Amino acid sequence: MLLMSSPAFALIHDDGEDPGPGLSIGQTLGLYVGIPVLLFLVIAGLVTASDKSRKKAKG
């Protein structure tokens, strides 16, 4: 019973603000999976393009 009264289980924060609606499954996947994968691909593409241009200049 003591655990149920902890702030982690409160529906309303101590300052009175409502936390608002949760994210849908699509929004959660887009935020936590889609954006990191997209950033990884952009960075990997930039590194690959940089490496290819350096090899052409040497050869």
Side-chain angles (χ1 to χ4, degrees):
M1 203 54 152
L2 180 61
L3 289 176
M4 294 301 280
S5 64
S6 70
F9 291 101
L11 294 177
I12 297 177
H13 296 282
D14 291 333
D15 57 3
E17 292 184 21
D18 186 10
L23 297 175
S24 69
I25 293 175
Q27 291 171 327
T28 303
L29 288 175
L31 184 63
Y32 294 108
V33 177
I35 292 174
V37 167
L38 181 66
L39 285 173
F40 173 80
L41 292 174
V42 167
I43 293 170
L46 290 172
V47 169
T48 303
S50 172
D51 188 48
K52 286 182 180 178
S53 67
R54 196 180 305 161
K55 286 181 180 180
K56 286 181 182 178
K58 286 183 180 180

